[in-house]
Amino acid sequence: MGRAVMVGRGPTGAGVLVLSILIILTTEGCGAQKGDGCGPSVLGPSSGTLSSLGYPGTYPNNTVCEWEISVPHGSRVHFHFAELDIEDSDCQVNYLRLYNGVGPERSEIVKYCGLGLKIRELIESTGNQVTVQFMSGTHHTGRGFYLSYSTTEHTDLITCLDKGTDFPQAEFSKYCPAGCLTSTEEISGTIPNGYRESSPLCVAAVHAGVVSNAVGGRISVVSSKGIPHYEATLANNVTSTGGTLSNSLFTFKTNGCYGTLGLESGGVADTQLSASSVWEWNNIIGQHSVWAPSGARLKKAGLPWAPSQSDQNQWLQVDLKREKRITGIITTGSTLREYQYYVSAYRVQYSNNGQQWSNYREANSTQDKIFQGNINYLHEVRNNFIPPIEARFVRINPASWHQRIALKLELLGCQIPAVRRTEPGPRMINPSRTFPPSRGTKRPPHISQTTHTPDIRNTTMPPHTGKDVALAAVLVPVVVMALTALIVIMVCALHWRNRKKSSEGTYDLPHWDRTDWWKSMKQLLPSKMVETEDSVRYSSSEVGRLTGRGAVPRVHAEPAEYAQPLVSGVQTLGARSTFKPDEGPDPGYSDPDLYDAPISPDVYHAYAEPVPASGSEYATPIIVDMGCHPSGNSTLNQASTVCSFMGAGATSLLTQTDSAHSGRSAYDTPKNATGQATPPEDLTYQVPQNKPTGQS
């Protein structure tokens, strides 16, 4: 029977190891050590860590230590040196030697002696048992040695001193040995924000809760750009220090089961919290204070939970209403400056029925695990359960405290997959025996042999992605792209159709142009568009068929170029429609005197006179005096003539312009090619004339 020592690390700012636990290993265990030169060591069945006494300081004179390591049959052991620094003044009494086998039948593998030796290769045994022997005589320098070991199946074994800067890859996976809390290297940062690249990988992995110090295991690391500030936190017996901006950082991929379980958010009701007792008292002003379980919610303002008396029989219980996977816990003290109470160590119990309770123990341990609690009343401390707990009820049993027990907490974990286990009762993922709750004991947890490493999965996607999910991940983007393309095609087709219609306007108004909706929409359209789409429709029966030099073809709307005819009795005219002279059947035909030619009274010209280029673009508006009164500034003396003319029919119009020449009344007289007005007596061409009575 031998012994090994595993240590935990308290706040690194103190620069000391504050939690030392003596572990008794049986002859069935993974190894043993003997002698007075053994440093902090963890011996496990799959991996472990060894060091000389006093490391990283100088080892003492005239000491010896032997470690006997055994792994499962059929496996072999290999060693990875983090540091080897043994004074070589006398290598007969100062050396490190490795042997195949244990006892008298062992055979030497290799012997080392020298300062600052760099051993890059892995040293491998031929069997499943190995002896490590360290001897020291009188010396003046040398830091001793620090090494890790594992079974040969873990070919990517690293040491507890390997840092993020030692691996330039953006993503990589390595195997961490058990016992890396024996290292005195500091880390900076926390999960999930990340750790400074100068932090030791395996120590940071223990702090993050992805591997256990007693178990070791595989880590999946992702490197990325550094952040301006790294947070200092205490977790899993490791204190990370604060840090400033660095070039890069690293973090770990996990299985994703680290969500909060509802105490802080209120998902857990007050009725689901209970305790062994509650502290109630009246203050000096007579105010009644109750430190009830409902106050034991992380980050909740006010009084925390506190029992009526502080002893190791007190507990705080959480009922999760259903069995869940619990992977960690975060605790604080009172968070009140005037009541600086907190729990510095505690045990965890769990149950599925609230009657039979099991104490949490690490893998293959025979003693309850005592978790490091808070170091002050304010700051949070996290502990992870490796392996996780699967249970409905959880109890926190304080083991030590400052001044008085006071506690706030939050549980971490997730739902248990529906297709998981069928056996009833609470358990850990790697179950151990169930024990009745221990009371009044101050024994430290027994941490000995380790089991196979927990399954740490890449959580960039769920660990068990079904075919349906994968198919949906492909089909959804394709459907979205197809619908988008269809919508674009429909919009383009509609736009092309509207442009085509707008370029093919006729005298007849489109159907939708007659609706109130289109009339209101025209006010929002540009003037040119309205001009193009508005057309003129004769609705008076008096207009009849227009005759000229030839049949008038169907006229398409063009941009405003000519004035429209002003015809009495025409009921519908487009606001800005114009007429274009008839080009006749022969496009090459040209009438040199289109307007000066005499026109018979019974022939109506189909078009108004074109506006000359030097004048206004549109014809002058004409105001019809339906009362047959001369305008105020008019000099016409033909009022009776005009009235009689109107009485005869729509044969003449009395007009008045609102132009600068409003002082004289004038009909809209035609202009010749030079822009000069023709004599007013030829006004009869301008308006349609009624046929004489009885004329056929």
Side-chain angles (χ1 to χ4, degrees):
M1 181 179 295
R3 73 170 188 263
V5 176
M6 187 195 79
V7 296
R9 301 192 329 176
T12 55
V16 294
L17 304 175
V18 298
L19 183 61
S20 298
I21 304 173
L22 182 64
I23 306 170
I24 305 299
L25 301 177
T26 67
T27 56
E28 298 177 354
C30 57
Q33 67 182 28
K34 56 187 176 181
D36 57 357
C38 305
S41 303
V42 174
L43 307 178
S46 298
S47 64
T49 302
L50 311 177
S51 65
S52 58
L53 185 63
Y55 180 84
T58 302
Y59 53 92
N61 292 326
N62 305 315
T63 59
V64 63
C65 183
E66 285 189 359
W67 295 265
E68 294 180 349
I69 301 171
S70 297
V71 296
H73 289 284
S75 299
R76 293 176 294 164
V77 182
H78 58 193
F79 297 89
H80 194 171
F81 283 90
E83 187 168 2
L84 184 57
D85 189 53
I86 301 173
E87 187 177 300
D88 56 359
S89 59
D90 186 356
C91 288
Q92 295 298 319
V93 294
N94 291 286
Y95 61 84
L96 177 71
R97 184 176 288 172
L98 305 180
Y99 295 91
N100 279 314
V102 297
E105 302 300 324
R106 65 190 183 187
S107 60
E108 182 179 301
I109 301 175
V110 67
K111 176 183 177 181
Y112 295 107
C113 175
L115 295 172
L117 297 179
K118 303 295 183 182
I119 310 300
R120 303 296 184 186
E121 67 276 6
L122 297 177
I123 309 302
E124 188 172 321
S125 69
T126 58
N128 69 315
Q129 292 184 318
V130 178
T131 299
V132 179
Q133 183 185 69
F134 175 66
M135 182 76 70
S136 70
T138 302
H139 66 282
H140 302 285
T141 60
R143 291 158 55 95
F145 75 95
Y146 192 46
L147 64 81
S148 300
Y149 75 89
S150 74
T151 56
T152 53
E153 62 183 296
H154 304 301
T155 57
D156 52 356
L157 171 70
I158 61 176
T159 72
C160 300
L161 300 185
D162 288 327
K163 300 177 173 59
T165 52
D166 297 328
F167 304 95
Q169 302 94 328
E171 295 189 23
F172 58 91
S173 176
K174 298 294 178 182
Y175 186 84
C176 285
C180 279
L181 293 194
T182 57
S183 167
T184 59
E185 295 291 321
E186 292 187 348
I187 65 171
S188 180
T190 188
I191 198 78
N193 298 330
Y195 297 87
R196 195 181 182 93
E197 78 274 18
S198 58
S199 302
L201 288 170
C202 294
V203 179
V206 174
H207 181 273
V210 296
V211 298
S212 168
N213 180 65
V215 175
R218 181 162 301 281
I219 59 173
S220 297
V221 185
V222 178
S223 299
S224 60
K225 186 178 179 180
I227 57 178
H229 176 71
Y230 295 90
E231 184 180 357
T233 59
L234 173 59
N236 300 308
N237 294 351
V238 182
T239 298
S240 68
T241 61
T244 56
L245 177 66
S246 65
N247 293 329
S248 63
L249 59 80
F250 64 85
T251 189
F252 302 98
K253 295 179 181 179
T254 70
N255 59 10
C257 188
Y258 292 96
T260 58
L261 294 183
L263 276 83
E264 178 184 346
S265 64
V268 173
D270 289 346
T271 56
Q272 296 172 241
L273 301 174
S274 58
S276 56
S277 63
V278 175
W279 186 30
E280 299 184 43
W281 57 281
N282 295 321
N283 57 23
I284 57 176
I285 62 175
Q287 184 178 4
H288 188 63
S289 298
V290 180
W291 299 52
S294 58
R297 300 176 184 272
L298 194 70
K299 293 182 171 63
K300 179 181 179 181
L303 298 175
W305 167 72
S308 58
Q309 56 185 358
S310 295
D311 57 46
Q312 293 189 358
N313 296 324
Q314 306 300 322
W315 46 263
L316 175 68
Q317 177 177 305
V318 181
D319 179 5
L320 298 174
K321 290 298 185 183
R322 66 177 64 182
E323 187 178 351
K324 294 185 179 181
R325 180 170 296 169
I326 307 165
T327 59
I329 181 174
I330 302 175
T331 61
T332 63
S334 67
T335 67
L336 301 173
R337 183 183 297 272
E338 60 272 27
Y339 306 109
Q340 298 188 12
Y341 310 143
Y342 57 89
V343 174
S344 56
Y346 58 89
R347 299 177 182 86
V348 174
Q349 300 174 330
Y350 55 94
S351 171
N352 204 40
N353 56 17
Q355 302 297 325
Q356 297 177 338
W357 295 87
S358 301
N359 291 345
Y360 183 84
R361 297 171 179 177
E362 288 190 297
N364 294 337
S365 173
T366 59
Q367 289 192 0
D368 307 338
K369 178 172 181 178
I370 296 181
F371 295 88
Q372 179 177 350
N374 298 90
I375 59 175
N376 56 50
Y377 72 98
L378 182 61
H379 295 108
E380 299 176 3
V381 173
R382 172 173 47 83
N383 282 286
N384 291 92
F385 302 134
I386 302 175
I389 297 171
E390 292 186 353
R392 170 181 170 177
F393 298 92
V394 177
R395 276 185 180 179
I396 312 303
N397 174 217
S400 61
W401 50 87
H402 175 73
Q403 297 184 17
R404 189 180 187 92
I405 294 175
L407 183 64
K408 295 181 180 181
L409 63 87
E410 177 63 272
L411 296 176
L412 306 177
C414 59
Q415 301 288 345
I416 298 176
V419 293
R420 194 193 40 78
R421 46 170 288 214
T422 57
E423 68 274 13
R427 69 165 189 162
M428 294 186 295
I429 300 301
N430 295 322
S432 60
R433 293 169 50 202
T434 301
F435 298 86
S438 58
R439 295 181 179 273
T441 177
K442 293 187 178 181
R443 294 177 299 171
H446 183 99
I447 302 175
S448 57
Q449 304 159 353
T450 59
T451 60
H452 296 291
T453 59
D455 184 16
I456 305 298
R457 298 183 177 88
N458 184 340
T459 56
T460 54
M461 62 175 59
H464 301 289
T465 302
K467 294 182 179 180
D468 294 340
V469 177
L471 183 61
V474 175
L475 291 180
V476 169
V478 173
V479 172
V480 171
M481 293 178 63
L483 291 176
T484 303
L486 181 61
I487 293 173
V488 171
I489 293 173
M490 293 177 63
V491 171
C492 292
L494 182 62
H495 179 68
W496 176 81
R497 180 181 177 184
N498 291 340
R499 291 190 58 186
K500 182 177 180 180
K501 287 185 176 181
S502 65
S503 62
E504 296 180 355
T506 62
Y507 281 100
D508 291 332
L509 291 175
H511 174 74
W512 44 264
D513 194 22
R514 304 170 191 173
T515 65
D516 294 337
W517 175 84
W518 175 244
K519 292 179 180 179
S520 61
M521 286 298 296
K522 288 195 295 183
Q523 300 177 4
L524 305 178
L525 298 177
S527 60
K528 285 295 183 180
M529 182 180 298
V530 177
E531 289 175 8
T532 304
E533 295 183 355
D534 286 348
S535 58
V536 176
R537 180 169 58 91
Y538 286 102
S539 58
S540 174
S541 58
E542 298 181 5
V543 175
R545 180 180 177 181
L546 299 178
T547 57
R549 277 180 279 271
V552 180
R554 185 176 183 178
V555 181
H556 297 284
E558 299 292 343
E561 188 172 344
Y562 299 94
Q564 64 184 16
L566 301 174
V567 182
S568 176
V570 176
Q571 299 177 1
T572 304
L573 291 178
R576 284 179 292 274
S577 299
T578 58
F579 288 83
K580 185 175 181 180
D582 180 21
E583 295 178 356
D586 185 3
Y589 172 79
S590 176
D591 189 350
D593 191 9
L594 183 62
Y595 297 102
D596 292 339
I599 300 175
S600 60
D602 58 341
V603 178
Y604 313 134
H605 202 284
Y607 299 98
E609 170 195 13
V611 179
S614 60
S616 300
E617 184 176 354
Y618 300 99
T620 302
I622 300 174
I623 300 175
V624 179
D625 188 351
M626 302 301 297
C628 299
H629 300 289
S631 70
N633 297 329
S634 176
T635 58
L636 290 175
N637 54 4
Q638 302 171 344
S640 58
T641 305
V642 173
C643 290
S644 61
F645 180 76
M646 291 180 62
T651 56
S652 63
L653 297 174
L654 180 63
T655 64
Q656 161 181 333
T657 67
D658 57 354
S659 63
H661 302 283
S662 60
R664 60 181 182 87
S665 176
Y667 288 96
D668 189 11
T669 57
K671 310 291 192 304
N672 57 23
T674 62
Q676 299 297 325
T678 55
E681 54 270 14
D682 295 331
L683 291 176
T684 55
Y685 87 95
Q686 178 73 15
V687 296
Q689 304 294 323
N690 286 337
K691 294 183 179 182
T693 304
Q695 184 178 354
S696 57

